[in-house]
């Protein structure tokens, strides 16, 4: 078969089922060709090239994985799709082939094409990374003072690929995700991680001003909560980033938020952040 040679219900599919699907698609993405499509005249085909056709085939196969007849409810269907998405994400986490960038690119394309319910597995995996403290560790002398293990790095690369390919409907869940999980961003490691996840794609959010503003507001809230704790070892990193948001993206948009929280911050932090509101007006 073009898509897979294994079959069966998702619950009893062999461990290599999802890996085979992604590898088959990855081969087509890398070569933009393949013997399976050699007979097709693309000038008269519904799909413009092999990658588009393979993306369609793999997406349909994943969406057609059946539910048990006894669990035909909307709630179970949503969870079923997230579980399928998680199986796809796990391919990156368990990658031993040395082709991580290629796999992440292919999975980013696939997850961005599938319905939103599948791609929520990406956000769930970020939560799992943040909840497991063993994924992060402090390193003196390192920029930001933090590093993370291979699992956290692989998720970072996959999320970047996913955000790069997806449309606003999927990245639009980002501010809600950050707000719902504020309790997880309790250490410098966690905050640096979420900033590295989101920062490269802030410019993309200008396509949706409401999503952009909500995302920037949630990032401000994350950093303010962190800076409220006197134990932060490198506060200037986050202070600089807050100024970066103001001068590149936000202007005076979040002046009320900053004014509300400045008195609650330690005196030295408050003095560094005062220029976020001093001399700021609605025309900034």
């Amino acid at each position: 078969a073009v898509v897979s040679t294994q079959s069966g219900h998702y619950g009893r599919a062999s461990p290599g089922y999802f890996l085979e699907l992604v590898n088959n698609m990855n081969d087509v993405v890398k070569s933009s060709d393949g013997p399976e499509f050699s007979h097709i005249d693309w000038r008269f085909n519904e799909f413009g090239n092999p990658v588009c056709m393979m993306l369609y085939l793999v997406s349909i196969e994943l969406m057609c994985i059946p539910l048990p007849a006894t669990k035909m409810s909307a709630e179970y269907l949503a969870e079923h799709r997230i579980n399928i998405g998680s199986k796809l994400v796990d391919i990156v986490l368990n990658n031993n082939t040395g082709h991580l960038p290629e796999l992440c690119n292919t999975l980013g394309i696939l997850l961005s094409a599938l319905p939103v319910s599948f791609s929520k597995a990406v956000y769930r995996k970020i939560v799992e990374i943040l909840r497991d403290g063993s994924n992060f560790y402090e390193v003196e002398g390192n920029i930001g003072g933090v590093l993370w293990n291979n699992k956290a790095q692989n998720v970072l690369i996959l999320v970047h690929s996913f955000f790069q390919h997806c449309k606003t409907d999927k990245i639009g869940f980002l501010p809600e995700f950050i707000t719902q999980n504020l309790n997880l961003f309790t250490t410098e490691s966690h905050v640096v991680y979420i900033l590295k996840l989101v920062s490269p794609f802030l410019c993309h959010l200008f396509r949706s001003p409401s999503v952009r503003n909500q995302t920037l507001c949630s990032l401000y809230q994350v950093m303010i909560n962190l800076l409220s704790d006197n134990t932060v070892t490198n506060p200037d990193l986050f202070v600089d980033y807050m100024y970066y948001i103001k001068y590149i993206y936000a202007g005076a948009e979040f002046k009320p938020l900053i004014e509300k929280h400045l008195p609650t911050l330690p005196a030295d932090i408050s003095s560094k952040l005062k220029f976020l509101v001093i001399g700021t007006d609605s025309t900034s």
Side-chain angles (χ1 to χ4, degrees):
V2 173
V3 181
S4 70
T5 56
Q6 301 183 50
S7 61
H9 183 272
Y10 157 64
R12 59 179 184 268
S14 67
Y17 172 72
F18 295 97
L19 178 61
E20 183 189 12
L21 282 179
V22 174
N23 280 339
N24 286 345
M25 180 174 170
N26 190 42
D27 290 340
V28 175
V29 171
K30 287 191 298 182
S31 65
S32 295
D33 202 353
E36 303 91 345
F37 305 108
S38 59
H39 63 287
I40 296 176
D41 188 338
W42 298 106
R43 297 173 300 170
F44 309 108
N45 194 271
E46 178 182 359
F47 303 97
N49 55 64
V51 177
C52 289
M53 187 168 185
M54 192 66 176
L55 175 61
Y56 178 83
L57 293 172
V58 174
S59 298
I60 290 297
E61 177 154 345
L62 290 171
M63 288 189 289
C64 289
I65 293 174
L67 278 167
T70 57
K71 297 184 177 181
M72 299 295 290
S73 67
E75 294 80 7
Y76 191 84
L77 175 61
E79 188 63 27
H80 173 70
R81 289 181 167 181
I82 292 175
N83 288 337
I84 294 173
S86 295
K87 295 290 185 181
L88 297 174
V89 175
D90 286 341
I91 293 173
V92 168
L93 299 184
N94 301 325
N95 173 59
N96 296 313
T97 64
H99 302 294
L100 182 63
E102 296 171 356
L103 275 177
C104 286
N105 181 56
T106 298
L107 281 168
I109 294 171
L110 180 57
L111 288 167
S112 66
L114 288 167
V116 175
S117 52
F118 288 88
S119 59
K120 284 187 177 180
V122 175
Y123 294 100
R124 180 174 290 187
K125 195 62 65 174
I126 297 172
V127 171
E128 292 178 12
I129 292 291
L130 293 171
R131 283 179 175 164
D132 186 355
S134 64
N135 291 317
F136 303 91
Y137 46 93
E138 308 291 328
V139 178
E140 284 199 37
N142 179 51
I143 298 175
V146 295
L147 286 175
W148 34 79
N149 64 14
N150 287 339
K151 183 178 180 181
Q153 289 184 40
N154 289 358
V155 169
L156 180 73
I157 298 171
L158 175 61
V159 171
H160 282 178
S161 173
F162 171 64
F163 283 170
Q164 177 67 32
H165 292 293
C166 73
K167 297 181 180 179
T168 306
D169 61 337
K170 296 180 179 67
I171 203 170
F173 184 64
L174 185 58
E176 180 183 347
F177 164 76
I178 297 174
T179 303
Q180 288 178 347
N181 294 283
L182 282 175
N183 61 312
L184 296 179
F185 306 115
T186 55
T187 69
E188 291 176 70
S189 303
H190 292 148
V191 176
V192 168
Y193 190 72
I194 196 65
L195 292 180
K196 282 185 175 288
L197 281 173
V198 176
S199 296
F201 304 95
L202 289 176
C203 58
H204 292 197
L205 298 179
F206 277 90
R207 293 174 294 184
S208 176
S210 61
V211 174
R212 178 201 64 192
N213 290 340
Q214 292 169 20
T215 301
L216 293 175
C217 183
S218 62
L219 291 178
Y220 261 137
Q221 191 65 62
V222 166
M223 289 183 283
I224 288 171
N225 291 350
L226 179 70
L227 292 172
S228 299
D229 188 349
N230 264 324
T231 62
V232 178
T233 59
N234 191 7
D236 287 347
L237 177 69
F238 306 103
V239 170
D240 290 346
Y241 194 87
M242 293 175 79
Y243 277 105
Y244 168 76
I245 288 178
K246 174 188 174 180
Y247 289 117
I248 300 299
Y249 299 108
E253 186 75 32
F254 304 112
K255 180 179 178 180
L257 175 68
I258 302 300
E259 287 179 328
K260 174 183 176 182
H261 288 283
L262 271 182
T264 67
L265 297 172
D268 58 331
I269 302 297
S270 182
S271 65
K272 293 177 180 179
L273 292 176
K274 65 182 180 182
F275 294 104
L276 287 173
V277 294
I278 292 178
T280 302
D281 56 43
S282 59
T283 61
S284 297

Short mmCIF file of all heavy atoms in Angstrom, two decimals, residues 63 74-86 111 113-124 162 169-170:
data_model
loop_
_atom_site.label_atom_id
_atom_site.label_comp_id
_atom_site.label_asym_id
_atom_site.label_seq_id
_atom_site.Cartn_x
_atom_site.Cartn_y
_atom_site.Cartn_z
N MET A 63 -7.38 9.70 10.39
CA MET A 63 -8.73 10.09 10.79
C MET A 63 -9.71 8.93 10.71
O MET A 63 -10.78 8.98 11.34
CB MET A 63 -9.22 11.25 9.93
CG MET A 63 -8.54 12.57 10.24
SD MET A 63 -9.29 14.00 9.41
CE MET A 63 -8.80 13.70 7.71
N ALA A 74 -18.81 12.07 21.78
CA ALA A 74 -17.99 13.19 21.34
C ALA A 74 -16.76 13.34 22.23
O ALA A 74 -15.66 13.63 21.75
CB ALA A 74 -18.81 14.47 21.36
N GLU A 75 -16.95 13.13 23.55
CA GLU A 75 -15.83 13.27 24.49
C GLU A 75 -14.76 12.22 24.23
O GLU A 75 -13.56 12.52 24.22
CB GLU A 75 -16.33 13.15 25.94
CG GLU A 75 -17.25 14.28 26.38
CD GLU A 75 -18.67 14.10 25.90
OE1 GLU A 75 -19.00 13.02 25.32
OE2 GLU A 75 -19.46 15.05 26.06
N TYR A 76 -15.20 11.00 23.99
CA TYR A 76 -14.22 9.93 23.75
C TYR A 76 -13.54 10.11 22.40
O TYR A 76 -12.35 9.83 22.26
CB TYR A 76 -14.91 8.56 23.80
CG TYR A 76 -13.91 7.42 23.82
CD1 TYR A 76 -13.32 7.01 25.00
CD2 TYR A 76 -13.54 6.79 22.63
CE1 TYR A 76 -12.39 5.98 25.02
CE2 TYR A 76 -12.60 5.77 22.64
CZ TYR A 76 -12.03 5.36 23.83
OH TYR A 76 -11.10 4.36 23.82
N LEU A 77 -14.29 10.62 21.42
CA LEU A 77 -13.69 10.87 20.11
C LEU A 77 -12.57 11.91 20.22
O LEU A 77 -11.50 11.76 19.63
CB LEU A 77 -14.75 11.34 19.12
CG LEU A 77 -14.24 11.76 17.73
CD1 LEU A 77 -13.56 10.59 17.03
CD2 LEU A 77 -15.38 12.30 16.88
N ALA A 78 -12.82 12.99 20.99
CA ALA A 78 -11.80 14.02 21.16
C ALA A 78 -10.55 13.45 21.82
O ALA A 78 -9.42 13.72 21.39
CB ALA A 78 -12.36 15.18 21.99
N GLU A 79 -10.75 12.63 22.87
CA GLU A 79 -9.60 12.03 23.55
C GLU A 79 -8.89 11.02 22.64
O GLU A 79 -7.66 10.90 22.66
CB GLU A 79 -10.08 11.35 24.83
CG GLU A 79 -8.96 10.85 25.73
CD GLU A 79 -8.08 11.96 26.26
OE1 GLU A 79 -8.57 13.10 26.39
OE2 GLU A 79 -6.90 11.69 26.54
N HIS A 80 -9.67 10.31 21.86
CA HIS A 80 -9.12 9.34 20.91
C HIS A 80 -8.19 10.02 19.92
O HIS A 80 -7.08 9.54 19.64
CB HIS A 80 -10.30 8.67 20.18
CG HIS A 80 -9.92 7.77 19.06
ND1 HIS A 80 -9.29 6.56 19.24
CD2 HIS A 80 -10.09 7.91 17.70
CE1 HIS A 80 -9.10 5.98 18.06
NE2 HIS A 80 -9.56 6.78 17.12
N ARG A 81 -8.59 11.18 19.42
CA ARG A 81 -7.77 11.91 18.46
C ARG A 81 -6.51 12.48 19.11
O ARG A 81 -5.45 12.50 18.50
CB ARG A 81 -8.60 13.01 17.81
CG ARG A 81 -9.66 12.48 16.84
CD ARG A 81 -10.46 13.58 16.19
NE ARG A 81 -11.23 13.09 15.06
CZ ARG A 81 -12.00 13.85 14.30
NH1 ARG A 81 -12.10 15.15 14.56
NH2 ARG A 81 -12.66 13.33 13.29
N ILE A 82 -6.65 12.94 20.34
CA ILE A 82 -5.46 13.44 21.05
C ILE A 82 -4.47 12.30 21.28
O ILE A 82 -3.26 12.47 21.16
CB ILE A 82 -5.86 14.08 22.40
CG1 ILE A 82 -6.65 15.37 22.16
CG2 ILE A 82 -4.63 14.38 23.25
CD1 ILE A 82 -7.18 16.02 23.41
N ASN A 83 -4.98 11.11 21.58
CA ASN A 83 -4.10 9.95 21.77
C ASN A 83 -3.36 9.59 20.48
O ASN A 83 -2.18 9.22 20.52
CB ASN A 83 -4.92 8.75 22.25
CG ASN A 83 -5.38 8.89 23.69
OD1 ASN A 83 -4.78 9.64 24.46
ND2 ASN A 83 -6.45 8.20 24.05
N ILE A 84 -4.04 9.71 19.36
CA ILE A 84 -3.38 9.46 18.08
C ILE A 84 -2.28 10.50 17.85
O ILE A 84 -1.16 10.18 17.44
CB ILE A 84 -4.39 9.47 16.92
CG1 ILE A 84 -5.36 8.29 17.06
CG2 ILE A 84 -3.69 9.43 15.57
CD1 ILE A 84 -6.50 8.32 16.06
N GLY A 85 -2.61 11.77 18.13
CA GLY A 85 -1.60 12.82 18.01
C GLY A 85 -0.41 12.57 18.92
O GLY A 85 0.74 12.82 18.54
N SER A 86 -0.67 12.07 20.12
CA SER A 86 0.42 11.76 21.06
C SER A 86 1.33 10.67 20.51
O SER A 86 2.55 10.70 20.71
CB SER A 86 -0.16 11.34 22.41
OG SER A 86 -0.86 12.40 23.03
N LEU A 111 0.77 17.37 11.44
CA LEU A 111 -0.06 17.84 12.55
C LEU A 111 -0.77 19.14 12.21
O LEU A 111 -1.87 19.40 12.70
CB LEU A 111 0.81 18.02 13.80
CG LEU A 111 1.28 16.72 14.47
CD1 LEU A 111 2.38 17.00 15.49
CD2 LEU A 111 0.10 16.02 15.15
N ALA A 113 -1.90 19.87 9.31
CA ALA A 113 -2.95 19.56 8.34
C ALA A 113 -4.13 18.84 8.99
O ALA A 113 -5.26 18.93 8.49
CB ALA A 113 -2.39 18.72 7.20
N LEU A 114 -3.88 18.12 10.07
CA LEU A 114 -4.95 17.38 10.74
C LEU A 114 -5.87 18.34 11.51
O LEU A 114 -5.48 19.47 11.81
CB LEU A 114 -4.34 16.36 11.71
CG LEU A 114 -3.68 15.15 11.08
CD1 LEU A 114 -2.83 14.40 12.11
CD2 LEU A 114 -4.72 14.21 10.47
N PRO A 115 -7.09 17.91 11.84
CA PRO A 115 -7.98 18.76 12.63
C PRO A 115 -7.36 19.17 13.97
O PRO A 115 -6.44 18.52 14.48
CB PRO A 115 -9.21 17.86 12.86
CG PRO A 115 -9.18 16.92 11.70
CD PRO A 115 -7.74 16.66 11.41
N VAL A 116 -7.87 20.25 14.54
CA VAL A 116 -7.32 20.82 15.77
C VAL A 116 -7.26 19.78 16.89
O VAL A 116 -6.32 19.79 17.70
CB VAL A 116 -8.16 22.03 16.21
CG1 VAL A 116 -7.68 22.56 17.56
CG2 VAL A 116 -8.09 23.14 15.17
N SER A 117 -8.24 18.89 16.95
CA SER A 117 -8.28 17.92 18.04
C SER A 117 -7.05 17.03 18.07
O SER A 117 -6.61 16.59 19.13
CB SER A 117 -9.54 17.06 17.94
OG SER A 117 -9.66 16.50 16.64
N PHE A 118 -6.45 16.74 16.92
CA PHE A 118 -5.23 15.95 16.87
C PHE A 118 -4.03 16.76 17.37
O PHE A 118 -3.20 16.26 18.11
CB PHE A 118 -4.94 15.48 15.44
CG PHE A 118 -5.87 14.42 14.93
CD1 PHE A 118 -7.06 14.74 14.32
CD2 PHE A 118 -5.54 13.07 15.07
CE1 PHE A 118 -7.92 13.76 13.85
CE2 PHE A 118 -6.38 12.07 14.60
CZ PHE A 118 -7.57 12.42 13.99
N SER A 119 -3.97 18.02 16.96
CA SER A 119 -2.79 18.83 17.28
C SER A 119 -2.75 19.25 18.75
O SER A 119 -1.71 19.70 19.23
CB SER A 119 -2.75 20.08 16.40
OG SER A 119 -3.92 20.86 16.56
N LYS A 120 -3.85 19.10 19.48
CA LYS A 120 -3.81 19.41 20.91
C LYS A 120 -2.86 18.49 21.66
O LYS A 120 -2.44 18.79 22.78
CB LYS A 120 -5.22 19.33 21.51
CG LYS A 120 -6.09 20.52 21.15
CD LYS A 120 -7.42 20.49 21.89
CE LYS A 120 -8.25 21.73 21.57
NZ LYS A 120 -9.56 21.76 22.26
N ALA A 121 -2.48 17.37 21.03
CA ALA A 121 -1.49 16.49 21.64
C ALA A 121 -0.15 17.20 21.80
O ALA A 121 0.61 16.88 22.72
CB ALA A 121 -1.31 15.24 20.78
N VAL A 122 0.15 18.15 20.92
CA VAL A 122 1.41 18.90 21.03
C VAL A 122 1.42 19.69 22.33
O VAL A 122 2.41 19.68 23.09
CB VAL A 122 1.59 19.85 19.82
CG1 VAL A 122 2.82 20.71 19.99
CG2 VAL A 122 1.66 19.05 18.53
N TYR A 123 0.32 20.38 22.62
CA TYR A 123 0.24 21.17 23.85
C TYR A 123 0.26 20.27 25.08
O TYR A 123 0.87 20.61 26.10
CB TYR A 123 -1.03 22.03 23.84
CG TYR A 123 -1.03 23.10 22.77
CD1 TYR A 123 -1.73 22.92 21.58
CD2 TYR A 123 -0.32 24.29 22.95
CE1 TYR A 123 -1.72 23.90 20.59
CE2 TYR A 123 -0.32 25.27 21.98
CZ TYR A 123 -1.02 25.08 20.80
OH TYR A 123 -1.01 26.05 19.83
N ARG A 124 -0.40 19.12 24.98
CA ARG A 124 -0.38 18.19 26.12
C ARG A 124 1.03 17.70 26.40
O ARG A 124 1.43 17.54 27.56
CB ARG A 124 -1.31 17.01 25.84
CG ARG A 124 -1.36 15.99 26.95
CD ARG A 124 -2.39 14.91 26.71
NE ARG A 124 -3.74 15.42 26.82
CZ ARG A 124 -4.84 14.63 26.78
NH1 ARG A 124 -4.69 13.32 26.62
NH2 ARG A 124 -6.04 15.16 26.89
N PHE A 162 5.86 22.66 13.99
CA PHE A 162 4.39 22.72 14.00
C PHE A 162 3.90 24.16 13.86
O PHE A 162 3.03 24.46 13.04
CB PHE A 162 3.87 22.08 15.29
CG PHE A 162 2.40 22.26 15.53
CD1 PHE A 162 1.47 21.70 14.68
CD2 PHE A 162 1.95 22.98 16.63
CE1 PHE A 162 0.10 21.87 14.91
CE2 PHE A 162 0.60 23.15 16.87
CZ PHE A 162 -0.32 22.59 16.00
N ASP A 169 -5.85 28.84 13.43
CA ASP A 169 -6.79 28.06 14.21
C ASP A 169 -6.09 27.17 15.23
O ASP A 169 -6.65 26.89 16.30
CB ASP A 169 -7.69 27.21 13.29
CG ASP A 169 -6.89 26.22 12.45
OD1 ASP A 169 -5.68 26.46 12.24
OD2 ASP A 169 -7.48 25.22 12.01
N LYS A 170 -4.87 26.74 14.92
CA LYS A 170 -4.15 25.86 15.84
C LYS A 170 -3.24 26.65 16.78
O LYS A 170 -3.14 26.35 17.96
CB LYS A 170 -3.36 24.82 15.06
CG LYS A 170 -4.25 23.87 14.26
CD LYS A 170 -3.45 22.85 13.50
CE LYS A 170 -4.37 21.91 12.72
NZ LYS A 170 -5.10 22.58 11.64
#
